[in-house]
Amino acid sequence: MYFSGAGDSGPVIMACATIHVGFTVPQLLRGASRILPTHSALVVLRHSAFCYCTVNSTIKSKRKMDHLERTANNFRQEVISQAKVCGISNESETVKRLRLAITNKDFTFKAGQWVDFFIPGLSVVGGFSMCSSPGLLKREGILELAVKHTDHPPAHWVHTECTLDSEVALRVGDLHGYQEGKGNGYKMGTVKLYYSAKNTSQLLFKKSILGLMNAFPGKIRCRFHVTQQSSPICEELRPHVTEGRISEKDLEKHVSKDTLWYICGPPPMIESISKLLSDIGVPRNCVFFEKWW
């Protein structure tokens, strides 16, 4: 099961299934047909996704570290590739999607990895997860990032200074070091996604999620939660939207020995959902969450 939340608590994230983490929801769930065993999975998301998973990690309040400090001991590929911005669009009011043309043919990535984002003239290095599939890079030489507006210099640059033909450099990193899975012998389980945001305009990739639900009826399901919706909800989304936060009542009906739980969001949201799951009897070794910021 997956959880994500954007809600009213600021930056948010998307989550994944029984898999390599760091996916955005569309590619994540699309990949679920290959890698999910017969387990069911539940996901809780907070809008705008970028992160990496660990099991039963403890989150502590510390000085906010720079991206390179946080990930200093993590695996990185040797290849650094130049990239040119070939597309910019608004995924929501606060998130921009960048399309980047990659010049180095040796540049590759796998699900669950991120990129170090080098901007000429800016000393601070960004760290962003891909929101496109490795297949798009292989076919078209294109990589996409979804970047939420914050005061962090790389994100601020994307939202205020980046233009078509801007040039950057990218290097792939990984929380644990990627291990290729054979992917044979697995049957697709079921995925239930709980995805929370302040309002429907901040539910990133909602059309892709609805498309996956239609493509895999009964296998992939989603419940969108909105906490501060002020405008009418469109007819297409209305059957899938609940007003209010993700609650214990929503989750307790999914508790079973075969359910794996994946949480993605800001630290307070992760802590809150982790405690809620503990209170309803979910074993700690069945709960996975990111430890990214």
Side-chain angles (χ1 to χ4, degrees):
M1 168 138 348
Y2 301 107
F3 311 86
S4 166
D8 25 359
S9 58
V12 278
I13 294 172
M14 300 168 121
C16 11
T18 319
I19 55 185
H20 354 277
V21 184
F23 274 96
T24 53
V25 169
Q27 63 184 106
L28 206 127
L29 298 184
R30 191 174 296 119
S33 62
R34 299 191 319 271
I35 52 185
L36 275 179
T38 52
H39 288 294
S40 58
L42 264 153
V43 189
V44 185
L45 302 175
R46 267 198 180 267
H47 105 263
S48 129
F50 323 101
C51 43
Y52 301 84
C53 235
T54 126
V55 185
N56 298 325
S57 298
T58 301
I59 299 174
K60 298 179 181 178
S61 297
K62 297 181 179 179
R63 175 183 68 84
K64 191 166 185 177
M65 292 189 294
D66 174 82
H67 164 68
L68 291 184
E69 287 183 284
R70 283 194 304 269
T71 60
N73 296 321
N74 297 128
F75 165 84
R76 280 174 165 82
Q77 292 183 3
E78 294 182 3
V79 175
I80 298 179
S81 176
Q82 299 299 310
K84 182 177 287 189
V85 177
C86 60
I88 306 175
S89 60
N90 292 322
E91 191 64 37
S92 75
E93 295 175 355
T94 59
V95 175
K96 285 190 180 292
R97 181 188 287 224
L98 292 188
R99 284 178 62 86
L100 299 165
I102 307 299
T103 58
N104 190 326
K105 302 300 182 185
D106 293 326
F107 181 94
T108 61
F109 74 92
K110 302 293 185 182
Q113 297 178 323
W114 76 81
V115 289
D116 296 332
F117 192 79
F118 301 93
I119 301 166
L122 195 63
S123 61
V124 179
V125 177
F128 303 117
S129 294
M130 302 71 159
C131 66
S132 57
S133 70
L136 180 65
L137 177 62
K138 185 175 181 180
R139 293 189 306 271
E140 302 180 26
I142 297 294
L143 179 148
E144 296 185 339
L145 303 175
V147 180
K148 184 177 176 65
H149 183 259
T150 70
D151 291 333
H152 190 244
H156 184 73
W157 178 87
V158 168
H159 280 261
T160 61
E161 299 183 45
C162 180
T163 62
L164 290 177
D165 295 328
S166 289
E167 295 185 349
V168 297
L170 307 175
R171 177 178 58 191
V172 172
D174 189 292
L175 192 63
H176 298 297
Y178 183 84
Q179 294 183 344
E180 185 77 52
K182 294 182 179 180
N184 295 325
Y186 286 96
K187 295 181 179 179
M188 184 173 176
T190 59
V191 177
K192 180 63 183 283
L193 172 66
Y194 283 91
Y195 186 0
S196 175
K198 184 180 294 185
N199 53 55
T200 55
S201 69
Q202 295 191 14
L203 292 168
L204 306 185
F205 311 109
K206 51 186 173 285
K207 290 185 178 179
S208 297
I209 295 170
L210 291 175
L212 288 167
M213 291 168 63
N214 291 329
F216 299 97
K219 292 291 187 180
I220 296 176
R221 294 171 292 161
C222 178
R223 198 72 201 165
F224 298 106
H225 284 249
V226 292
T227 58
Q228 297 183 31
Q229 184 74 21
S230 57
S231 59
I233 298 171
C234 71
E235 186 175 343
E236 183 182 23
L237 270 182
R238 196 177 301 131
H240 308 288
V241 173
T242 296
E243 298 202 36
R245 296 183 181 276
I246 300 165
S247 69
E248 179 177 322
K249 184 178 179 181
D250 295 317
L251 305 183
E252 60 186 1
K253 56 192 173 188
H254 300 290
V255 176
S256 80
K257 62 182 179 63
D258 294 322
T259 301
L260 302 177
W261 306 73
Y262 294 79
I263 313 172
C264 195
M269 177 263 189
I270 293 176
E271 291 172 351
S272 173
I273 295 293
S274 295
K275 182 179 184 305
L276 189 156
L277 292 176
S278 176
D279 290 345
I280 61 177
V282 175
R284 290 186 62 188
N285 63 357
C286 292
V287 180
F288 301 79
F289 56 79
E290 5 168 272
K291 190 179 181 182
W292 176 231
W293 324 320

